Amino acid sequence: MIDIENSAVIKMFTEKVGIKERAEGSREGEVRAYTDAVLQIVKQEFGLRGMQEVEPRIRAIADGQKLASLITPALQATSVEAFKKALEQVL
């Protein structure tokens, strides 16, 4: 099981979000950073094909909190299908 609180991946994406937010100074920056983070995790966990399956739905989310809430399911899901179920709960 992944230690989410101490995960290097989570820390990296959290830093990325903070940097992009400051650089862009907007909610759009937060959304873009979380979108990128979730997609990168999904690609890492389930490959390019898995990422392509969920990318349109993830990119349609315009709420940073909703996107942030997908990081843990992306890391913990055992399949892209399991992640899709978590994604549906957010939508």
Side-chain angles (χ1 to χ4, degrees), residues 17-32:
V17 168
I19 290 168
K20 282 194 173 186
E21 272 188 346
R22 287 190 294 277
E24 296 180 19
S26 69
R27 194 175 74 109
E28 291 172 4
E30 175 188 32
V31 169
R32 188 173 304 124

Side-chain angles (χ1 to χ4, degrees), residues 48-60:
L48 181 60
R49 180 176 231 156
M51 184 195 75
Q52 290 171 335
E53 287 182 38
V54 297
E55 185 174 12
R57 288 191 242 161
I58 291 171
R59 290 204 181 277

Side-chain angles (χ1 to χ4, degrees), residues 14-82:
T14 301
E15 288 174 13
K16 182 178 177 180
V17 168
I19 290 168
K20 282 194 173 186
E21 272 188 346
R22 287 190 294 277
E24 296 180 19
S26 69
R27 194 175 74 109
E28 291 172 4
E30 175 188 32
V31 169
R32 188 173 304 124
Y34 277 123
T35 298
D36 290 347
V38 171
L39 289 172
Q40 286 178 15
I41 292 169
V42 170
K43 183 178 179 183
Q44 176 183 325
E45 297 293 318
F46 310 114
L48 181 60
R49 180 176 231 156
M51 184 195 75
Q52 290 171 335
E53 287 182 38
V54 297
E55 185 174 12
R57 288 191 242 161
I58 291 171
R59 290 204 181 277
I61 301 170
D63 181 325
Q65 277 189 311
K66 286 182 178 182
L67 288 161
S69 74
L70 290 171
I71 291 174
T72 299
L75 289 167
Q76 292 181 336
T78 57
S79 67
V80 72
E81 294 304 320

